[in-house]
Amino acid sequence: MAESLVSTILGQLASLATEEVKLLASADKAVGKLTSNFRAVQAVLEDAESRQMKEKSVGDWLDKLKDVSYDIDDVLDEWITACRKLQMKEAENASKLWKKVCSCISSNCFCCKKVFLRHEIAIKIKDLNERLGDIAKEKDGFNFSLTTGTRQLEHEVTTSLINLREVYGRDQDRNTLKNYLLAESSQESIISTISIIGMGGIGKTTLARLAFNDDEVKTHFDKKIWVCVSDPFDEIRIAKAILESLLGGKKDADELETVLNEIREFIKEKKILLVLDDVWLEDFRKWEQVPIS
């Protein structure tokens, strides 16, 4: 789980480094330091996770890494959101014809807010960099083995099966998701998408399973389909999995166009619930190759 968290954070940092969402004057330096520290711990995570059950101190070290990873994820989200809000405000101000007095007042307020955000986020980033730096230094005392090369993360194939006796405290989340499903799908001729987003290990799949297996949801839809997307992304495999779930048997067709046409024919005038779990792909252009509308 720690390896998944670290990989997620590194992806966010890479995005920050390439996108024009720099709020801090020292953004490049802050991103660079966080990235360097995360890469230092990433290289030993495979050994650390294999030793944590036998060595309590290693388990405690991993817990500290997870805690700071969650905090960093929150701050990076805040950073990106704040930047984009400020960019939108700047664009909005630039597109309007302000009177001279109003323009000065608005500009001054806007600049004050920008300075405050810079200061607030800069303090958080500095604190998190120090915490992560200490964790990165602490790893040297465990004599971890380094991971050689870049290891592909193995993703577990998920299914819709769930043991309700092992799930606690998710009733409110389940009911909220269920209400979305029942309300959105009641609108005819509209394809609705509901996303459950978050870092690895927080229970996204469990929540999807709870809604998928809910009795009201079962009776509301003509057909329910669960597909584990995983990585690497394979358009034909995903489309065939959808079709086989609809038809209840294996399909030999290997042409994406053929499979999609059969899917469209089958779901015509039907109310379908499709769950795509374990989605790692961020390139939305790829999804355009798997249209089922």
Side-chain angles (χ1 to χ4, degrees), residues 6 60 101 129 157 289:
V6 170
D60 292 341
V101 174
N129 253 326
V157 177
Q289 300 298 315

Side-chain angles (χ1 to χ4, degrees), residues 169-206:
R170 302 303 298 269
D171 290 346
Q172 183 176 345
D173 293 334
R174 179 198 60 195
N175 290 334
T176 299
L177 179 56
K178 180 178 74 174
N179 291 336
Y180 278 132
L181 288 170
L182 301 183
E184 293 286 347
S185 63
S186 297
Q187 305 179 51
E188 294 184 4
S189 303
I190 294 179
I191 296 177
S192 299
T193 302
I194 300 173
S195 301
I196 305 176
I197 302 171
M199 299 182 74
I202 64 172
K204 302 184 296 297
T205 296
T206 297

Side-chain angles (χ1 to χ4, degrees), residues 18-274:
T18 55
E19 291 186 38
E20 293 183 3
V21 290
K22 307 283 181 64
L23 180 66
L24 308 179
S26 57
D28 288 329
K29 187 176 179 181
V31 169
K33 191 171 181 181
L34 280 173
T35 302
S36 176
N37 283 327
F38 265 115
R39 283 181 177 159
V41 297
Q42 186 185 40
V44 302
L45 282 179
E46 185 177 352
D47 187 34
E49 294 193 323
S50 68
R51 288 168 51 181
Q52 63 178 319
M53 298 304 294
K54 294 181 179 179
E55 301 176 50
K56 185 180 182 300
S57 58
V58 173
D60 292 341
W61 180 80
L62 282 171
D63 286 340
K64 286 193 287 186
L65 176 60
K66 290 173 189 175
D67 287 342
V68 77
S69 295
Y70 284 122
D71 290 342
I72 288 172
D73 180 58
D74 290 340
V75 172
L76 292 181
D77 285 343
E78 182 183 355
W79 183 351
I80 293 171
T81 301
C83 287
R84 288 176 179 165
K85 282 183 178 179
L86 289 172
Q87 287 174 339
M88 289 172 64
K89 185 68 177 176
E90 286 175 334
E92 181 184 332
N93 289 350
S95 66
K96 292 180 178 179
L97 296 175
W98 298 89
K99 289 183 179 180
K100 189 172 183 180
V101 174
C102 293
S103 178
C104 289
I105 294 173
S106 175
S107 177
N108 288 336
C109 291
F110 182 65
C111 288
C112 288
K113 185 177 180 182
K114 200 169 183 179
V115 170
F116 174 76
L117 280 170
R118 278 183 180 153
H119 180 69
E120 185 180 37
I121 295 178
I123 290 174
K124 291 180 181 179
I125 290 289
K126 182 176 182 292
D127 175 62
L128 290 169
N129 253 326
E130 289 175 357
R131 286 171 58 193
L132 184 59
D134 290 340
I135 292 170
K137 290 176 184 176
E138 193 178 338
K139 80 178 186 334
D140 297 333
F142 294 104
N143 295 315
F144 290 127
S145 298
L146 293 175
T147 301
T148 55
T150 303
R151 189 170 68 90
Q152 183 77 24
L153 285 178
E154 294 181 4
H155 303 298
E156 177 187 357
V157 177
T158 66
T159 71
S160 63
L161 299 178
I162 187 170
N163 185 349
L164 295 176
R165 290 177 295 182
E166 297 179 355
V167 181
Y168 303 95
R170 302 303 298 269
D171 290 346
Q172 183 176 345
D173 293 334
R174 179 198 60 195
N175 290 334
T176 299
L177 179 56
K178 180 178 74 174
N179 291 336
Y180 278 132
L181 288 170
L182 301 183
E184 293 286 347
S185 63
S186 297
Q187 305 179 51
E188 294 184 4
S189 303
I190 294 179
I191 296 177
S192 299
T193 302
I194 300 173
S195 301
I196 305 176
I197 302 171
M199 299 182 74
I202 64 172
K204 302 184 296 297
T205 296
T206 297
L207 180 57
R209 285 171 175 155
L210 287 171
F212 191 86
N213 290 286
D214 183 87
D215 290 336
E216 285 187 65
V217 172
K218 286 180 182 177
T219 58
H220 188 76
F221 290 93
D222 298 312
K223 189 75 176 178
K224 298 188 297 120
I225 305 164
W226 181 286
V227 176
C228 180
V229 175
S230 198
D231 194 36
F233 184 85
D234 186 336
E235 298 98 323
I236 293 179
R237 183 188 66 78
I238 296 167
K240 286 179 69 174
I242 294 170
L243 182 60
E244 288 169 2
S245 183
L246 289 169
L247 301 180
K250 295 288 290 183
K251 290 296 295 182
D252 296 327
D254 290 322
E255 288 294 329
L256 183 60
E257 181 69 20
T258 302
V259 177
L260 292 178
N261 285 334
E262 290 192 56
I263 292 174
R264 290 191 187 99
E265 190 62 31
F266 189 91
I267 67 175
K268 194 178 297 182
E269 299 181 357
K270 288 186 176 67
K271 194 174 292 183
I272 306 293
L273 171 61
L274 171 62

